[in-house]
Amino acid sequence: MSIVVAYKYAANPQDTTVGSDGVVDWSRAKAAVSEYDPVAIQVARTVADAKGEELVGISVGDAQVSSSMAKKAALSRGFDRALVVADDAVRDLNATAVAAALAALVRKVEGANILLTGDSSIDESAKMMSALVAGYLGWPCFQEVSAVEANGNGWSITQATASGTRTITVDGPVVVAVTTDAATVKVPGMKDVLQAGKKPMDTVALADLGVEPISVEVTGRLRPVAQERKKEILSGDDAAVKLVEALRSAGVL
């Protein structure tokens, strides 16, 4: 069997600027392995070591995903090898089409029976990719997962809930999105980076995956409307009461 982790090589939105027209300028944002993906990689590495299995990283991105810098940044985290789509045409794909491509990559990994993802991607933070990929694979999906252990031919999954945690036993393949604190991430050292350069990374052409075009049209962009402040000052011993009354009057409470 093989354990697979989907990772994203993406730019950090903190390095972007927003123009007066509401359009985000990404030109100065540097790409890196998405912030929460190393947690999923660390969890998967622990499971892979316990089972003596191969850990495979998959990614769908533009041409830079297969660059030497991107390869070392990803594989130094603990992957044994990677399988990626590195095509600038990916920039025009929406999340649904990317999920279809990721699912196709999972199918190319022999014996794959679990896919781990980070909690969310740093650039979009939609928290929907794990569920989308699971839908294409026909596998169950669990999010907010804090621990994963092998259990026979299946998995024991610890999932965070509103009241605490619960443990779920799954027979067969599964997709899990791990929480941001599911593992302590190991920072790659120089030795890890050098070894990563020697690990295999295979590229698959986007056209070979048979992903059907899925179009979403952006009809416009608009900044959120800033509400005018009332600038009321509440003072006196009954300021708290006045505040509650004011909030109720405004429909906040």
Side-chain angles (χ1 to χ4, degrees), residues 60 84-85 100-102 104-105 107-108 204-212:
V60 173
V84 304
V85 171
L102 284 171
L105 288 181
R107 296 189 189 100
K108 288 183 174 293
V204 179
L206 181 62
D208 293 342
L209 296 181
V211 176
E212 296 292 333

Side-chain angles (χ1 to χ4, degrees), residues 8-141:
K8 189 172 187 179
Y9 196 69
N12 192 327
Q14 292 184 358
D15 299 327
T16 64
T17 57
V18 181
S20 58
D21 56 357
V23 176
V24 180
D25 180 6
W26 292 85
S27 61
R28 296 185 179 181
K30 296 181 180 179
V33 175
S34 188
E35 184 174 1
Y36 302 131
D37 291 344
V39 180
I41 299 170
Q42 189 65 55
V43 172
R45 183 71 264 173
T46 301
V47 175
D49 290 342
K51 289 180 64 62
E53 304 291 350
E54 179 185 45
L55 179 59
V56 182
I58 62 171
S59 187
V60 173
D62 58 22
Q64 67 177 337
V65 171
S66 62
S67 67
S68 176
M69 181 179 295
K71 175 185 175 181
K72 291 178 181 178
L75 272 67
S76 63
R77 294 287 180 176
F79 290 125
D80 295 311
R81 65 183 179 93
L83 183 65
V84 304
V85 171
D87 191 326
D88 286 342
V90 170
R91 296 172 183 169
D92 298 324
L93 299 183
N94 56 34
T96 305
V98 171
L102 284 171
L105 288 181
V106 173
R107 296 189 189 100
K108 288 183 174 293
V109 179
E110 185 177 356
N113 71 338
I114 186 171
L115 171 67
L116 295 93
T117 73
D119 177 70
S120 62
S121 64
I122 192 172
D123 55 344
E124 297 180 2
S125 193
K127 295 189 176 184
M128 59 188 293
M129 189 55 67
S130 56
L132 288 172
V133 178
Y136 278 106
L137 291 172
W139 295 2
C141 176

Side-chain angles (χ1 to χ4, degrees), residues 215-231:
S215 62
V216 174
E217 181 183 359
V218 178
T219 59
R221 298 179 176 89
L222 185 66
R223 285 177 175 270
V225 178
Q227 294 183 352
E228 184 179 353
R229 299 190 178 191
K230 293 186 177 181
K231 299 179 181 179

Side-chain angles (χ1 to χ4, degrees), residues 38-39 41-42 72-78 183-193:
V39 180
I41 299 170
Q42 189 65 55
K72 291 178 181 178
L75 272 67
S76 63
R77 294 287 180 176
T184 300
V185 176
K186 174 188 174 184
V187 178
M190 182 58 67
K191 181 178 179 181
D192 298 314
V193 174

Side-chain angles (χ1 to χ4, degrees), residues 162-212:
S163 58
T165 62
R166 65 175 180 174
T167 300
I168 305 163
T169 300
V170 180
D171 294 326
V174 66
V175 177
V176 299
V178 301
T179 58
T180 59
D181 58 352
T184 300
V185 176
K186 174 188 174 184
V187 178
M190 182 58 67
K191 181 178 179 181
D192 298 314
V193 174
L194 293 175
Q195 289 178 339
K198 301 177 182 178
K199 293 179 181 179
M201 171 181 278
D202 297 320
T203 58
V204 179
L206 181 62
D208 293 342
L209 296 181
V211 176
E212 296 292 333

